[in-house]
Amino acid sequence: TMPLWLRNASIALSYAKQDSLTGVCHYSPELASASKFRTQMLTKIQTGIENQEFVPHYQPIVDLASGNVCGAEALARWHSDSGMVSPLDFIPIAEESGMIKAIGQQILLQACRDTYQAIQSNQWPSDFQLHVNISVNQLSCPDFVDTVTNVLDITKLPASNLTLEITESRIIDSAPTTLENMTKRSEEHTSELQSPMYLVCRLLLEK
């Protein structure tokens, strides 16, 4: 029927727009199932953001020379009402929809707060390095530097304790805003260690 054809064509068009190489997509029943899953997941992700269900899990970073834990990587995890949701299920969809920005900000805020409290209570050393993965979608926001600065102000974590990791090759295609944010300097801070210029960004460019 015509409504069904139009629905199928709309689904195929949506996937074709996501194909940066050919821009062509032929409809198949699998596309309909994937589209339904994506629509449902988008709603759940939005609810998860509103309920602050996204939390950091910490993977220790060990100094091989001393055997001591010198830092940790904050990994985004989703504790939904129905249980843990695999990052493979929600991160690609969050990236495509732009909701990764809100998720990333929640992870960054909580991770910085946890790290500051752990350092203050002597659970972690004063030079402990917190590594947080940053999406290119986040880095390409004009207010990215201000957002990170605000998080540091709120949590009181020195910028020297924070390492931001960008692991997407798409960083090359995000200029000029992305590159501007990587080199931006804030004139609002007078303390060296609190200036965004001391945010260490490790760039892991994948082919």
Side-chain angles (χ1 to χ4, degrees):
T1 62
M2 183 60 69
L4 180 60
W5 293 346
L6 291 175
R7 188 204 68 172
N8 294 347
S10 177
I11 293 174
L13 177 61
S14 176
Y15 278 89
K17 290 180 177 179
Q18 297 176 27
D19 190 336
S20 59
L21 296 178
T22 65
V24 175
C25 178
H26 297 281
Y27 174 80
S28 68
E30 290 76 15
L31 291 183
S33 298
S35 178
K36 181 179 180 180
F37 174 81
R38 183 179 185 279
T39 300
Q40 294 174 340
M41 187 61 72
L42 284 172
T43 301
K44 292 179 180 178
I45 291 174
Q46 183 60 50
T47 300
I49 292 173
E50 294 171 357
N51 295 337
Q52 297 188 341
E53 296 174 350
F54 295 93
V55 297
H57 282 201
Y58 300 103
Q59 180 170 290
I61 298 175
V62 179
D63 183 343
L64 295 180
S66 65
N68 296 326
V69 174
C70 59
E73 181 178 3
L75 305 175
R77 294 296 181 263
W78 182 9
H79 292 266
S80 70
D81 291 338
S82 57
M84 287 285 292
V85 180
S86 170
L88 297 178
D89 287 336
F90 74 84
I91 287 183
I93 296 176
E95 286 277 5
E96 294 172 8
S97 65
M99 287 192 283
I100 193 67
K101 298 174 185 176
I103 295 174
Q105 186 168 352
Q106 286 187 7
I107 297 299
L108 179 63
L109 178 62
Q110 186 60 52
C112 287
R113 180 179 288 122
D114 290 346
T115 301
Y116 175 78
Q117 293 175 351
I119 291 175
Q120 290 299 304
S121 62
N122 295 320
Q123 293 179 334
W124 293 343
S126 60
D127 59 350
F128 188 90
Q129 283 296 304
L130 170 66
H131 293 243
V132 180
N133 290 317
I134 299 297
S135 166
V136 168
N137 286 338
Q138 293 174 263
L139 190 59
S140 62
C141 290
D143 63 346
F144 173 74
V145 172
D146 291 335
T147 298
V148 175
T149 302
N150 186 50
V151 167
L152 293 175
D153 287 341
I154 292 173
T155 63
K156 300 180 181 179
L157 180 72
S160 57
N161 289 103
L162 177 64
T163 295
L164 302 179
E165 296 189 1
I166 299 89
T167 59
E168 300 177 51
S169 58
R170 284 182 298 165
I171 190 173
I172 301 300
D173 302 321
S174 301
T177 306
T178 298
L179 297 180
E180 180 181 346
N181 280 335
M182 289 168 59
T183 57
K184 186 176 180 181
R185 301 292 184 264
S186 173
E187 298 177 355
E188 298 177 359
H189 292 267
T190 57
S191 171
E192 276 191 337
L193 292 182
Q194 287 298 331
S195 172
M197 70 183 296
Y198 279 85
L199 293 179
V200 183
C201 295
R202 176 182 299 174
L203 306 182
L204 305 176
L205 304 183
E206 300 175 352
K207 294 183 179 180

